[in-house]
Every structure is written in structure tokens, then in C-alpha cells.
Amino acid sequence: MKSCLIVDDSRVIRKVSRHILETLGFAVEEAENGQEGLDKCAEAMPDVVLLDWNMPVMTGIEFITQLRQRDGGDKPKVVFCTTENDVAHIREAISAGADEYVMKPFDHETLQIKLQLVGMA
């Protein structure tokens, strides 16, 4: 079973994302900020990370920068999930190591397509 870590400070987004991912057959873990997400990755590296941009404690960009420097941190597919939709943000996310980008709010079909694009659905 593929695993996904949802890193988002919104409990609602985590709940909705968890429901979608579980219907797609993923085992799901959650973290409410980037530091908690890195701690979970240290315990068990997920196959996919759904990553929020704006969070307290550690932003999504800080999270992915640190993740990609860790042993095995190059393995997970990272999909940024955010309300930021300008080209500069997308470019920054991709250059920091993101594999894909999805706009909030997203639905089952949109998330499934993004996961297919990164080879995880």
C-alpha cells in the first residue's frame, strides 16, 4: 500500500485530503506543520507528500528544502497544495523540489490526476 503524508495546518483540508487519498488506496499520516512533517518523515518516509505552502512553525518551502537534503528525501513525490497561484510561486515550488502543484480547493478528480502525473495513482 502506498503511503501519503499530508502536511497542512488546516484540519479541514487534512480531513478532506485523507478521505480522497484513502478512497484511492493510500495509507495516510497527517502533520499540522512542516516540522511535524519532517519528524514523521524521519520515522517513515512516505511515497507522497501533500504539502501546504503557508503554515506556522515551518513553511512548505522550508519543509521541502530540508526534506530533499535528507537521506531518502529525494524519494517522495511532493505535491504542493496551496491558494498561491502566480507563476513565481509555482516556479519557486518546482525549483525547491516539488513534483507537482494543485490549487485549493481541489476535488477527488483533480487530486487523482495530479497523483497520476507523478506516477502515484
Side-chain angles (χ1 to χ4, degrees):
M1 178 180 274
K2 291 184 190 128
S3 60
C4 182
L5 174 63
I6 303 164
V7 184
D8 199 305
D9 59 327
S10 165
R11 192 177 59 77
V12 173
I13 294 290
R14 291 196 312 268
K15 186 175 182 178
V16 169
S17 300
R18 171 183 283 276
H19 176 73
I20 293 170
L21 289 157
E22 286 177 343
T23 63
L24 293 171
F26 282 86
V28 179
E29 285 284 328
E30 297 179 20
E32 60 185 49
N33 63 61
Q35 185 57 59
E36 192 180 320
L38 284 175
D39 293 345
K40 298 242 182 204
C41 288
E43 293 168 23
M45 198 63 77
D47 296 308
V48 181
V49 177
L50 280 191
L51 182 60
D52 186 22
W53 189 290
N54 297 307
M55 295 177 288
V57 184
M58 180 186 288
T59 67
I61 290 291
E62 291 167 333
F63 169 89
I64 194 168
T65 301
Q66 291 189 33
L67 174 71
R68 293 306 194 206
Q69 293 170 352
R70 292 181 172 210
D71 279 347
D74 57 330
K75 300 276 188 291
K77 297 296 183 183
V78 177
V79 179
F80 256 104
C81 304
T82 184
T83 55
E84 307 287 351
N85 66 347
D86 59 273
V87 174
H89 274 95
I90 296 170
R91 194 175 289 126
E92 184 179 357
I94 300 299
S95 63
D99 296 286
E100 202 36 84
Y101 198 93
V102 65
M103 291 300 301
K104 290 178 183 175
F106 52 84
D107 59 11
H108 185 283
E109 183 181 1
T110 305
L111 188 54
Q112 186 170 9
I113 288 167
K114 293 295 181 176
L115 290 169
Q116 285 171 342
L117 287 172
V118 299
M120 285 291 158

